[in-house]
Amino acid sequence: MRDRLRELHEIKNGSWNGPDPVATERQHGKGKLTVRERITLLLDPNSFVEIEPLRRHRATGFGMERKRPYSDGVITGWGTVHGRTVFVYAHDFRIFGGALGEAHAAKIHKIMDMAQRAGSPLISLNDGAGARIQEGVTALAGYGGIFRRNTYASGVIPQVSIMLGPCAGGAAYSPALTDFVFMVRQTSQMFITGPDVVQAVTGEQVSHDQLGGADVHGTESGVAHAIYDDEESCLQDVRFLLSLLPANNRELPPMHPCDDPVDRRTDALLDLVPTDNSRAYDMRLVIEDIVDDGLTFEVQPTWATNIVCTLARLGGHVVGIVANQPASLAGVLDIKASEKAARFVQWCDAFNVPLVTLVDVPGFLPGVEQEHGGIIRRGAKLLYAYCNATTPRISLVLRKAYGGAYIVMDSRSIGADISLAWPTNEIAVMGAEGAANVIYKREIAGADDPDAVRQQKIKEYQTELMHPYYAAERGLVDDVIDPGETRDVLIRSLAMLRAKHADSPSRKHGNPPQ
């Protein structure tokens, strides 16, 4: 038995340390951590339990039969983050470049199935070169099994993809199917076809980072939900995100004891938000003043910056906040903002996260580019997401809310449970100036002093249809509140809604706009 144990320890130590020290040096030389170092940073100390560490491939040909390292280039298992169980698979780039083969895929399939059966989050640490060419179509079938499991787990357990190296070809679709994608500058890239193929087909010369680096996906494509300068800060933020997520769709997000007084006044908002609708301000500062201890986790902060989507806590309970951002494009809704917010709303609804919508929107962005780009169908994604959501929903109009954008931003008419407004609200079909120009066009044009008549008509329209209590008088706003009481009112309203139950229509699934 002792001889057998020595043999077992030698094998496991070899698997733990990796193929050879030179490979580890190369990994570190690229500014990347090893797979074990990453898992250690992600999980609670000494909590990781590995499965199938002794798995090896059975491929032959191309010299594969002479190279059969243990683990086959992927580490799988479970552990805890803040004491709560999570499942993990992590590519080891030192072995076959982290490329996926039959045995490699089988390990990932098993851990994905275990995560879904256990009802716990699944985290992938991606650092692989795609399908293992030497294993041919078998490797491609392995990816198919991953994609199918990603899809079945969608809306059932949280899925987080952490990009820590290359991710090319079909391999990029698995992260795209998950809930959150984290990327690290300089070391992680995602693309369907690499720079060499792009140059051969189109003649365009581009580097790996220019084609699919973290900044590209964080600011241009919207693929990345968060980007970082180093792996350590990335993994720490993943831990923070996981502290806000429920284990699965049958649970509520974890409650955290709150030292920030529930009834704390938010009088700073009186000076932070200008009453002049044409003046900008940073909506992030409004959110930070309202939520517990000013702590938030913003999703896609550098993409579609005219809308803010963030997770935070109110009274110790997790909420999802969707807010127009007047500091970027005046907070208009456009194609990117609509798609960003729609997916966030759908995710919150899938995982029982209440929604708070802060409204200050001048409308949808006009223009040929937007119309030809499909603003109708893509803007409808946000409308569909809100109408379809059964999680508790509260909307608050801070200043302006005009036209169709007012409806789309979770108005009472599309199902908001509680609709609130500040005394600075202006809810109307359009701004007073545009409305006056349409309604009184002939009268203004025929006047001796058109500018004077125009100003008079603008004032009349504001007085009649845009005063702060117009919507409240008609029951479209439940109450007009003191901005200093915003935190208190939101927390009390969410407490009332916590036991909300709403049945969806009997159907296989809806057909959302594409």
Side-chain angles (χ1 to χ4, degrees):
M1 179 61 75
R2 288 179 176 83
D3 290 340
R4 293 292 176 88
L5 283 176
R6 277 193 294 271
E7 180 185 24
L8 174 62
H9 292 319
E10 286 175 4
I11 291 173
K12 286 200 168 183
N13 286 338
S15 174
W16 180 271
N17 293 325
D20 61 72
V22 175
T24 299
E25 288 177 14
R26 283 198 300 266
Q27 183 82 348
H28 287 159
K30 296 175 183 176
K32 294 160 50 172
L33 301 176
T34 66
V35 63
R36 304 286 181 179
E37 290 167 339
R38 290 165 175 168
I39 291 173
T40 299
L41 284 173
L42 174 66
L43 301 179
D44 295 337
N46 302 315
S47 68
F48 184 57
V49 179
E50 186 175 355
I51 63 168
E52 296 200 0
L54 306 182
R55 188 75 178 249
R56 298 200 289 179
H57 73 77
R58 54 187 179 181
T60 58
F62 308 102
M64 292 293 288
E65 62 275 8
R66 297 189 299 273
K67 190 175 182 181
R68 300 179 64 231
Y70 291 106
S71 84
D72 201 47
V74 65
I75 307 301
T76 60
W78 69 87
T80 61
V81 174
H82 302 299
R84 302 166 66 225
T85 299
V86 299
F87 288 78
V88 179
Y89 71 86
H91 301 129
D92 190 343
F93 195 81
R94 299 170 300 172
I95 299 176
F96 300 128
L100 179 139
E102 180 190 29
H104 184 119
K107 290 180 66 174
I108 294 175
H109 295 168
K110 177 182 283 190
I111 205 67
M112 295 179 80
D113 291 340
M114 291 177 69
Q116 188 162 349
R117 286 197 297 267
S120 295
L122 175 70
I123 301 123
S124 63
L125 302 173
N126 296 270
D127 187 6
R132 195 174 296 172
I133 298 172
Q134 298 91 328
E135 296 194 32
V137 70
T138 307
L140 297 179
Y143 273 123
I146 293 174
F147 302 158
R148 177 165 54 86
R149 287 168 172 83
N150 283 139
T151 303
Y152 285 172
S154 180
V156 179
I157 57 172
Q159 299 180 81
V160 180
S161 298
I162 310 171
M163 315 310 297
L164 301 169
C167 187
Y173 284 117
S174 176
L177 290 168
T178 62
D179 300 305
F180 299 96
V181 177
F182 288 71
M183 293 189 74
V184 177
R185 290 184 177 93
Q186 305 302 319
T187 58
S188 61
Q189 300 93 29
M190 296 174 68
F191 37 70
I192 300 301
T193 53
D196 294 340
V197 176
V198 169
Q199 184 175 359
V201 174
T202 70
E204 297 172 287
Q205 291 187 345
V206 64
S207 70
H208 286 80
D209 265 343
Q210 290 170 334
L211 182 62
D215 285 309
V216 169
H217 289 308
T219 60
E220 298 295 330
S221 71
V223 170
H225 294 82
I227 55 177
Y228 301 87
D229 291 325
D230 57 78
E231 295 188 19
E232 291 84 355
S233 58
C234 175
L235 294 169
Q236 281 300 115
D237 243 20
V238 172
R239 286 178 57 86
F240 176 54
L241 171 64
L242 289 168
S243 73
L244 299 169
L245 306 185
N248 55 65
N249 65 340
R250 298 183 301 276
E251 297 184 6
L252 295 175
M255 192 273 179
H256 190 276
C258 177
D259 296 326
D260 193 348
V262 169
D263 59 354
R264 171 174 59 79
R265 286 190 60 84
T266 51
D267 288 324
L269 301 179
L270 301 176
D271 300 314
L272 179 60
V273 180
T275 56
D276 182 354
N277 278 338
S278 64
R279 290 180 57 194
Y281 63 93
D282 190 347
M283 183 63 83
R284 291 187 180 93
L285 299 179
V286 174
I287 296 170
E288 289 172 5
D289 196 51
I290 294 171
V291 303
D292 294 357
D293 303 311
L295 295 176
T296 65
F297 181 87
E298 187 174 351
V299 175
Q300 297 172 304
T302 55
W303 184 67
T305 54
N306 43 322
I307 201 158
V308 176
C309 298
T310 191
L311 293 169
R313 283 191 170 91
L314 279 169
H317 293 274
V318 177
V319 296
I321 299 174
V322 179
N324 306 111
Q325 174 56 292
S328 176
L329 294 176
V332 297
L333 286 177
D334 62 0
I335 288 171
K336 290 181 178 180
S338 298
E339 292 188 331
K340 171 181 171 178
R343 192 166 192 271
F344 183 74
V345 168
Q346 288 174 169
W347 182 88
C348 288
D349 185 50
F351 288 101
N352 311 307
V353 177
L355 283 161
V356 174
T357 304
L358 304 180
V359 185
D360 190 348
V361 62
F364 281 93
L365 182 64
V368 174
E369 182 180 355
Q370 288 289 305
E371 295 294 345
H372 289 186
I375 185 62
I376 295 174
R377 64 180 175 84
R378 295 160 91 171
K381 291 183 181 183
L382 180 54
L383 180 62
Y384 186 98
Y386 269 124
C387 290
N388 202 45
T390 58
T391 194
R393 292 155 51 188
I394 299 174
S395 67
L396 170 62
V397 180
L398 279 62
R399 296 195 308 185
K400 57 190 175 296
Y402 296 155
Y406 154 68
I407 301 172
V408 169
M409 289 296 292
D410 204 18
S411 64
R412 163 53 59 81
S413 60
I414 65 169
D417 297 298
I418 300 290
S419 180
L420 304 168
W422 284 359
T424 46
N425 81 83
E426 288 185 2
I427 304 174
V429 175
M430 63 176 67
E433 184 173 347
N437 287 336
V438 172
I439 297 172
Y440 304 108
K441 180 179 180 180
R442 292 184 179 179
E443 188 174 342
I444 292 171
D448 295 332
D449 188 348
D451 288 338
V453 174
R454 181 182 293 106
Q455 292 305 316
Q456 177 191 345
K457 297 304 181 182
I458 289 172
K459 188 172 183 180
E460 286 180 11
Y461 188 84
Q462 288 174 325
T463 301
E464 289 295 323
L465 296 177
M466 294 182 66
H467 63 80
Y469 310 104
Y470 184 84
E473 290 172 0
R474 283 151 183 78
L476 298 174
V477 166
D478 292 305
D479 196 10
V480 178
I481 65 171
D482 173 357
E485 297 177 353
T486 299
R487 173 177 165 82
D488 185 30
V489 172
L490 289 177
I491 291 174
R492 286 190 286 116
S493 299
L494 289 166
M496 177 275 293
L497 291 167
R498 197 154 293 129
K500 174 187 174 182
H501 176 76
D503 290 322
S504 298
S506 178
R507 59 185 176 186
K508 187 175 183 180
H509 57 73
N511 186 27
Q514 296 299 316

